[in-house]
Amino acid sequence: MTIESLPGSSGYLDAAPTRRKISYFSNFYVLGLTLAAGIGGLLFGYDTVASWFSLNVTCYLTPLKNLIAGVISGALLYIRDDFKVVNENYFLQETIVSMALVGAIIGAAAGGWLNDAYGRKKATLLADVVFAIGSIVMAAAPDPYVLIIGRLLVGLGIGVASVTAPVYIAEASPSEIRGGLVSTNVLMITGGQFLSYLVNLAFTEVPGTWRWMLGVSGVPAVIQFFVMLFLPESPRWLYLKHDKSKAIAVLAKIYDPYRLEEEIDQLAAAAEEELQSKNAVRYRDVFRSKEIRLAFLAGAGLQAFQQFTGINTVMYYSPTIVQMAGFQSNRLALLLSLIVAGMNAIGTIVGIFLIDRCGRRQLALTSLVGVIISLGILSGAFFLQSSFDSGLCNGLCNSGFGWFAVLGLALYIAFFSPGMGPVPWTVNSEIYPESYRGMCGGMSATVNWVSNLIVAELFLSVAAAVGTATTFLILGGVAVLAFLFVLAFVPETKGLSFEQVDKLWKERAWGSENGREGLLEGRHDGV
């Protein structure tokens, strides 16, 4: 997993035989920064599974509640037992769960500004404090209305963390392995999802069940807070905020002396360019500058398509797919939920290995091809089920369509998790200039959360109106659009320094006499 490091991120200098190789484990300092920042992804993953499953299963599909009551949706089921008003009011149930998504949207929108104004480290510390307070409020809530406030606070923390962690990791990573290190944050998200199943399953028989389920989520936030106190600010943010001595001290722990000089030269050029502009960056500037507009279109589009290609809906339907295969055991349904979450995490590890080898664009395209095929299989399986239920096919039909659906589920996770899982977050951490990175990262993360909320609110209504088979077919059509979008608007950024990526967008916006070939000469493709 090593990549031969050429002199400087830009690759414009001649190769030096004394250069050391860069791998994911060649610098434990960088790896430590990555894992510490990635705890924010753990919070992200733990809570979002709760929101999706609780909202959809308990509020709309009451017949299925016993099937998965022991997993993450259990929290809301126990809340309904404790608070009679919640049990009698579906709107209140929806509000309790979806308030975290509302908070995440607000947190992501504000997180970009916080990152640029106060730094990545302070934004992370603030997110941890808000999340921990929200967890305590939820665990101690005397009524559902205080619980809603706690959910809002937790969502705010998640929203800020979803912006900050990828940017912090990207700015502390050598360009050769930046994609894999940023994808580690996505691994933490999927790990948080898997952990949520285990934690909630463990607390199903404990007094105060739901309070433990929701309150224990604050523990990683507290751990990250104290760890981050001893970690540095992003070196790129420090340098461009004119704290050059601290920035160089951090960079010296990341790069060898020869590479360090090259990185400082690039930062100096970026700082000089920002100084010449002199104007404070505003949100409307994102749409006034052609190159920034193109970058934001690519980043925000990837975030939207990540949600609209149906990852949450496929994860949600996993217990139903088990039933279709002829297995009615509740324990088996719970086991499948764990297996699916585990497959998602394993697929993300594969993505970490591939993203700096195959590249972001190629990985996304391959992922989407698999997603399209698997959604077609799922649509066909549910169509066969509906045909069997309506008597349009004979008994032989029922013998295989369940396993057909299981195949579609397995293929979907296998293709989505290495590509469309990590690629949108990785691309958004590296495609914006320094002065826009926090702001545009926050805006694109907001698009992700808004898309998440739209899918959560509309999926079951659409499924009820047109049928599950047609709904998966629609998601497949969206995946086709996503494939065409990546082809048209998302460039390859594998191995490019931040300064090279800036040049790439300027060439796309305004053209260049040398074209893109000159830029690609500096890319690190050696494996």
Side-chain angles (χ1 to χ4, degrees), residues 15 20 34 68 107-108 119-120 124 126 136 140 143 165 234 241 272 277 281 296 312 353 369 381 384 432 476 481 487:
R20 66 176 180 175
T34 299
I68 46 181
R120 298 24 169 157
T124 301
L126 178 62
I136 294 171
D143 58 60
S234 158
K241 294 298 180 180
E272 180 65 25
S277 67
V281 174
F296 178 69
N312 284 327
F353 178 80
V369 169
L384 289 173
Y432 308 116
L481 293 177
L487 274 179

Side-chain angles (χ1 to χ4, degrees), residues 297-474:
L297 172 64
L302 279 173
Q303 294 284 31
F305 279 120
Q306 184 190 65
Q307 295 299 319
F308 286 120
T309 48
I311 178 60
N312 284 327
T313 61
V314 172
M315 295 281 284
Y316 155 70
Y317 254 94
S318 57
T320 306
I321 292 171
V322 175
Q323 285 191 321
M324 289 174 60
F327 299 98
Q328 302 298 323
S329 167
N330 289 356
R331 286 186 175 274
L332 188 58
L334 296 177
L335 178 61
L336 178 79
S337 297
L338 288 171
I339 292 173
V340 169
M343 284 181 61
N344 202 17
I346 292 171
T348 305
I349 294 174
V350 174
I352 291 173
F353 178 80
L354 293 176
I355 197 166
D356 287 311
R357 291 172 171 258
C358 301
R360 291 79 160 124
R361 190 170 185 265
Q362 185 62 46
L363 194 57
L365 292 172
T366 304
S367 175
L368 286 167
V369 169
V371 165
I372 293 166
I373 294 171
S374 56
L375 286 171
I377 292 173
L378 283 168
S379 177
F382 276 92
F383 175 76
L384 289 173
Q385 182 199 37
S386 62
S387 298
F388 177 81
D389 292 342
S390 61
L392 297 179
C393 68
N394 57 35
L396 293 176
C397 179
N398 189 38
S399 62
F401 68 75
W403 285 107
F404 197 47
V406 171
L407 174 63
L409 172 65
L411 285 176
Y412 183 95
I413 298 299
F415 278 100
F416 183 95
S417 55
M420 285 302 290
V423 167
W425 295 105
T426 299
V427 169
N428 273 280
S429 72
E430 62 189 7
I431 60 173
Y432 308 116
E434 184 69 32
S435 56
Y436 286 87
R437 191 165 298 134
M439 180 183 295
C440 289
M443 291 168 65
S444 62
T446 302
V447 169
N448 185 289
W449 286 108
V450 171
S451 301
N452 189 326
L453 182 61
I454 291 172
V455 172
E457 294 291 344
L458 294 184
F459 173 74
L460 288 171
S461 298
V462 173
V466 302
T468 306
T470 304
T471 303
F472 280 120
L473 199 60
I474 292 171

Side-chain angles (χ1 to χ4, degrees), residues 3 43 97 110 133 278 281 283 328 364 370 406 420 424 442 492 494 517:
I3 303 173
L43 308 179
V97 178
I133 292 174
K278 294 184 179 180
V281 174
Y283 283 99
Q328 302 298 323
V406 171
M420 285 302 290
E492 182 55 71
K494 167 192 168 185
E517 291 183 2

